[in-house]
Amino acid sequence: ETIEAFNKFIASVEMRLESRFSGRTFLWSDEFPGVRQQLLKGVVIAQPMQGNGIVPLKGGLVQDWRGAVFISHASLQDVMSIVQDYDRHRDYYKPDIENAKIESRQGDEFLVYMRIVKAKFMLSDVLNTEHAIQFIHLDAKRVYSRSYSKRISEVAAPGQTDEHELPVGQDRGLLWRLYGYWFFEERDGGVFITCESITLTRDFPFGMAGLLAPVIHNLPGESLRKSLEQTRKAVVSRSGTGSAPQPSH
């Protein structure tokens, strides 16, 4: 029932994103002049889609966040060379991504393995994951991608001799699904990146809301902001475009 409800939620999200997929309104940040100005000043934005970003489903919770960053003096090719370099994502996105590798590729369609580490307060979670990722080129200056998790398994005793994956449904449910929609546009002397990141976790078990709520509430936004910052840092470092603009406070 939870997965069925999640799939319906995703269908509604993709219907809403159709105008972006077609290029009619490509970047969400363009709809808010103030946001665009912040991005040009170097601010990295991560915010809930609505309310606190949490949408309750039967037996689960969806976290729906969007983010944006501007990478000045970069080209679309500079950004794609980092984003699609999955075999080195463990370098660009550590410590959240401990390992990553391309399992298969057909043109602009990738199947990627990632070992994801989520840690906050005293709680940590190590997950072996697989993602189907497709890139769609609208024109020479605009690309978007859709990323769907195909498998997520929680790892017990990570790094120890008895390390093993927990059976699906017999884990803590801190991450059941991870979907992402990313939009890249080269203009104004750099590249804008906007995205919407959607995760599915279990609902809080009785008596554990106090421990889990801060993690579930804050981690998606923190992870999204960090990944946007790390993308910019990796692009700047590789392309030698100079330092990233410093956010004005």
Side-chain angles (χ1 to χ4, degrees), residues 46-74:
Q47 59 185 219
M49 278 299 297
Q50 55 186 355
N52 64 1
I54 292 182
V55 181
L57 302 178
K58 188 172 179 64
L61 299 170
V62 167
Q63 295 81 37
D64 190 1
W65 283 70
R66 66 184 176 189
V69 69
F70 177 68
I71 308 175
S72 62
H73 304 100

Side-chain angles (χ1 to χ4, degrees), residues 56-243:
L57 302 178
K58 188 172 179 64
L61 299 170
V62 167
Q63 295 81 37
D64 190 1
W65 283 70
R66 66 184 176 189
V69 69
F70 177 68
I71 308 175
S72 62
H73 304 100
S75 69
L76 185 60
Q77 185 176 349
D78 291 335
V79 175
M80 287 297 105
S81 71
I82 293 294
V83 171
Q84 295 183 340
D85 188 9
Y86 294 105
D87 290 339
R88 292 191 60 198
H89 273 206
R90 64 181 178 273
D91 300 322
Y92 307 142
Y93 298 103
K94 59 187 176 185
D96 286 18
I97 296 180
E98 189 177 280
N99 197 9
K101 63 182 179 185
I102 298 172
E103 296 189 325
S104 67
R105 178 179 183 179
Q106 291 184 310
D108 286 319
E109 296 188 12
F110 297 77
L111 183 64
V112 178
Y113 162 81
M114 293 185 195
R115 187 174 175 105
I116 297 174
V117 179
K118 297 291 185 187
K120 188 173 178 67
F121 305 135
M122 301 297 288
L123 197 64
S124 66
D125 201 20
V126 178
L127 304 143
N128 289 336
T129 68
E130 274 186 342
H131 308 263
I133 307 167
Q134 179 184 22
F135 290 84
I136 297 93
H137 296 254
L138 287 185
D139 51 44
K141 300 294 185 182
R142 295 184 299 174
V143 175
Y144 72 89
S145 70
R146 304 187 197 206
S147 173
Y148 304 112
S149 59
K150 306 299 286 183
R151 184 177 77 90
I152 296 180
S153 297
E154 184 174 347
V155 178
Q160 301 178 29
T161 53
D162 59 341
E163 174 184 310
H164 61 281
E165 292 183 359
L166 297 173
V168 175
Q170 296 180 34
D171 58 9
R172 289 176 294 172
L174 296 178
L175 187 62
W176 277 339
R177 293 288 186 276
L178 174 56
Y179 286 18
Y181 305 88
W182 291 73
F183 301 83
F184 310 87
E185 181 171 7
E186 180 182 336
R187 75 164 203 255
D188 298 340
V191 176
F192 287 94
I193 303 175
T194 66
C195 62
E196 183 167 351
S197 176
I198 300 170
T199 55
L200 175 66
T201 65
R202 69 177 298 174
D203 200 352
F204 303 132
F206 179 75
M208 292 195 66
L211 172 66
L212 294 179
V215 179
I216 299 299
H217 286 182
N218 299 332
L219 202 54
E222 291 172 4
S223 297
L224 186 57
R225 183 186 302 277
K226 189 197 292 185
S227 112
L228 289 164
E229 289 172 343
Q230 289 172 316
T231 300
R232 179 166 65 189
K233 183 178 178 182
V235 171
V236 168
S237 175
R238 178 184 282 190
S239 62
T241 56
S243 60

